[in-house]
Amino acid sequence: MKLKNILTKAGSVILKNVVPGAGIVLDIVNEFLPEDKKLDLDAATGQDAITAINSLPAEVQGNIYEKEFDVEIEEIKGFTERFKAAADADKSGNTTRPQIALMFAKTICFAIILFVSIWAYAIASNLKEVIKNLSDSWVLMATVLSVPSTVLLAYFGYRTKEKQARYQLAGDQPIATGLIGNIINAIKK
């Protein structure tokens, strides 16, 4: 990605908050600026950097924009660190919940295979009484499948929320909370 595009996307947001390796860019820009016009590393925005770069001679601007590769490397390193942190968080070794989920998945598969096998046998053997009884047993089948299906849905829904929280922590983002969590956070502030 071109450095100018990165800076333009950052816009009025503080550069170090959105661009990994922003310090490299700001240090290079500050090398060419007079003392009174140097950018503040903690407060400079993307627009500030573009304005400062545009105030420099064309040759210097070209040198600065050549440094875009350094920013991309830092961006990749940042992504890699966040990815590693998320992978390390997943290495916790929790095995009980996945085993329970697998047992319920097997239970659902067994019930469906059994029900379909009985249907297929009844149809193939032309057992009209069994077919009629099976067609009236959909409530029983729904009941048999509802408990393990509900447990699986809850498990995967919980895992999704848990992973989102881990990824947010790995990316130094605040964890999204519900209404009560927002109220508690507001009181704490």
Side-chain angles (χ1 to χ4, degrees):
M1 182 181 259
K2 299 271 186 216
L3 180 59
K4 190 166 190 166
N5 293 343
I6 293 170
L7 296 175
T8 303
K9 283 183 183 178
S12 61
V13 178
I14 295 176
L15 204 54
K16 75 172 191 166
N17 292 343
V18 292
V19 178
I24 295 169
V25 175
L26 294 177
D27 287 343
I28 291 170
V29 173
N30 282 339
E31 281 181 34
F32 298 101
L33 292 173
E35 265 317 301
D36 60 329
K37 301 215 179 198
K38 292 195 185 281
L39 297 172
D40 180 9
L41 298 177
D42 293 323
T45 65
Q47 192 56 48
D48 294 340
I50 289 174
T51 304
I53 292 170
N54 288 342
S55 70
L56 298 170
E59 181 180 309
V60 175
Q61 288 180 25
N63 288 340
I64 292 173
Y65 286 128
E66 284 178 17
K67 297 294 182 184
E68 69 184 276
F69 192 70
D70 294 340
V71 174
E72 286 183 14
I73 288 174
E74 288 300 317
E75 195 172 272
I76 291 168
K77 283 180 184 175
F79 173 78
T80 304
E81 287 172 15
R82 288 190 303 276
F83 190 76
K84 275 184 176 175
D88 289 342
D90 284 342
K91 279 197 244 179
S92 63
N94 293 337
T95 56
T96 306
R97 287 186 303 171
Q99 287 177 355
I100 292 170
L102 182 60
M103 288 184 332
F104 276 109
K106 288 178 179 180
T107 302
I108 291 171
C109 289
F110 175 75
I112 290 172
I113 290 169
L114 180 66
F115 193 72
V116 169
S117 298
I118 294 170
W119 263 95
Y121 178 76
I123 291 170
S125 301
N126 201 21
L127 302 172
K128 293 182 185 200
E129 188 65 30
V130 175
I131 294 172
K132 179 167 180 0
N133 288 339
L134 286 174
S135 66
D136 293 337
S137 66
W138 67 269
V139 175
L140 174 64
M141 185 64 180
T143 304
V144 167
L145 293 177
S146 66
V147 173
S149 298
T150 304
V151 170
L152 280 175
L153 288 172
Y155 168 74
F156 284 111
Y158 179 74
R159 288 292 293 162
T160 300
K161 289 178 186 175
E162 184 180 274
K163 282 189 176 192
Q164 286 173 343
R166 286 180 180 179
Y167 295 150
Q168 287 171 342
L169 283 174
D172 291 332
Q173 298 173 353
I175 297 175
T177 57
L179 177 64
I180 294 174
N182 289 339
I183 292 171
I184 291 172
N185 288 338
I187 290 171
K188 284 182 181 178
K189 288 180 183 178

